[in-house]
Amino acid sequence: MDRRWGISVPLPELSLPEQRELIAELPDLGYTDVWSSEANGADAFTPLALASTWAPQLRLGTAIVPVYTRGPATLAMSAATLAAAAPGRFALGVGTSSNVIVERWNGIAFDEPYKRVRDTVRFLRQALRGEKVTESYDTFEVKGFTAGLVADPVPPVLVAALRPGMLKLAGREADGAIINWLSPDDVRTVVPYVRQGGADKEVVARIFVMPDIDPDTARGLARRHIAAYMNVPVYRAFHEWLGRDEFTPMWQAWDAGDRKGALAAIPDSVVDDLVVHGPAEYCRERVQQYVDNGVTTPAIALVAPGDPTEAVRALGLK
């Protein structure tokens, strides 16, 4: 596999139209991929559609689209449309998302997440090939759906995964896994589960990066991001499984309603493990450690405030 170097879009602090010139510059900076996400900002597909025309050399990927918030057929149609618009350059990443996004924000029951992802992947495999699908899955039923648009080639499907069950599913039934909120050392723990499904499985990692910001400021910003994620049940369970006991005081304070205490309880060592910060050269080296430990496609996610232009340029490989 060729060396990949990705970045998350849309880029922060810029409107979508304002990103055109910088995204067009990405290939010349050494970036090979752009990966989107979907929570409460831009949807997962539109920024990629724009990037596909602004920088046709880039590979496009969703990391991730929730399996609950679109119906199976609508999800397949969205994926097929982008794959047809950018032949051979799109990868569909799907996952459970979280109870916050699915239940609190979209009013959809967050039931049987493992089965819902498994069933969605099985449906997508058939639907994206243009097969007629009539199937009663454990978590939904499809009666007589045939996609009217079939991309050539059919896009790969990847699964967002944290713990062993989903990691194994990603390797067994999908083309690979999407991981995030972990350290380079943690990569050595999670990747072998994916590779049980084949040594060639792709592993995409969203890596949170703040280049050229002083350590105190970077750690203060990072603590807020960490607290927001690590108290969501799926991420808490992930780090409990990893054995990150350093989070226990933070979890205890959060459960007691002490938000300030929770922030203060996150040690610098954990911040430095999970969020890459420091001089741009060090940040590039730190991202490379993820690759050295088993990630095939790093997807840098800038989390610092302000115009991202210089950070994007500084983190490129050229």
Side-chain angles (χ1 to χ4, degrees):
M1 184 180 293
D2 294 336
R3 185 182 188 186
R4 312 215 66 83
W5 198 256
I7 194 163
S8 298
V9 294
L11 299 167
E13 303 291 334
L14 295 176
S15 69
L16 287 176
E18 290 172 332
Q19 300 188 32
R20 178 172 187 160
E21 291 185 5
L22 188 52
I23 288 178
E25 190 179 344
L26 291 179
D28 292 333
L29 296 171
Y31 294 96
T32 62
D33 291 52
V34 288
W35 290 81
S36 65
S37 60
E38 190 169 284
N40 64 342
D43 73 87
F45 292 101
T46 304
L48 298 181
L50 293 170
S52 74
T53 62
W54 294 342
Q57 309 95 310
L58 293 172
R59 184 182 184 224
L60 318 167
T62 59
I64 50 86
V65 177
V67 295
Y68 290 95
T69 52
R70 288 176 178 80
T74 301
L75 177 56
M77 288 187 291
S78 297
T81 302
L82 190 48
R89 295 192 293 116
F90 173 64
L92 175 65
V94 298
T96 64
S97 188
S98 70
N99 65 311
V100 173
I101 292 172
V102 174
E103 289 187 335
R104 296 185 192 176
W105 297 354
N106 284 284
I108 299 168
F110 192 67
D111 292 338
E112 298 189 287
Y114 174 87
K115 289 183 178 180
R116 180 68 182 227
V117 171
R118 181 202 62 197
D119 294 347
T120 300
V121 170
R122 290 176 177 176
F123 165 77
L124 288 169
R125 287 298 207 191
Q126 291 183 270
L128 291 173
R129 291 194 297 261
E131 299 174 11
K132 185 176 182 179
V133 183
T134 297
E135 190 73 43
S136 293
Y137 303 95
D138 286 347
T139 57
F140 59 84
E141 184 176 10
V142 176
K143 298 179 180 180
F145 174 76
T146 304
L149 175 62
V150 178
D152 183 17
V154 173
V157 177
L158 295 94
V159 167
L162 297 174
R163 290 180 288 161
M166 202 72 81
L167 292 163
K168 291 177 183 179
L169 174 68
R172 185 177 64 250
E173 301 208 26
D175 296 293
I178 298 168
I179 56 179
N180 74 340
W181 280 117
L182 76 176
S183 72
D185 286 342
D186 295 331
V187 172
R188 296 183 186 274
T189 300
V190 305
V191 166
Y193 290 100
V194 182
R195 296 277 158 75
Q196 288 179 19
D200 61 341
K201 296 295 181 175
E202 184 169 13
V203 179
V204 180
R206 173 162 279 117
I207 304 167
F208 300 94
V209 183
M210 288 188 278
D212 299 323
I213 295 177
D214 72 88
D216 289 342
T217 300
R219 287 176 179 138
L221 292 168
R223 280 187 173 86
R224 295 186 179 277
H225 287 283
I226 289 170
Y229 274 88
M230 298 310 146
N231 289 287
V232 173
V234 292
Y235 285 102
R236 178 169 177 168
F238 176 46
H239 284 271
E240 289 174 335
W241 171 67
L242 288 172
R244 192 158 274 118
D245 296 333
E246 303 98 314
F247 272 142
T248 300
M250 184 268 287
W251 286 324
Q252 291 173 341
W254 190 274
D255 291 344
D258 182 4
R259 300 298 188 255
K260 290 184 179 179
L263 287 173
I266 304 171
D268 286 351
S269 60
V270 174
V271 175
D272 297 347
D273 270 351
L274 300 181
V275 178
V276 178
H277 63 93
E281 182 177 358
Y282 166 80
C283 290
R284 288 195 303 272
E285 293 171 353
R286 182 72 167 166
V287 172
Q288 182 61 41
Q289 290 178 19
Y290 286 84
V291 177
D292 294 342
N293 289 350
V295 167
T296 57
T297 308
I300 292 167
L302 295 172
V303 291
D307 189 320
T309 302
E310 292 308 313
V312 170
R313 290 172 177 165
L315 293 171
L317 293 181
K318 295 181 182 179

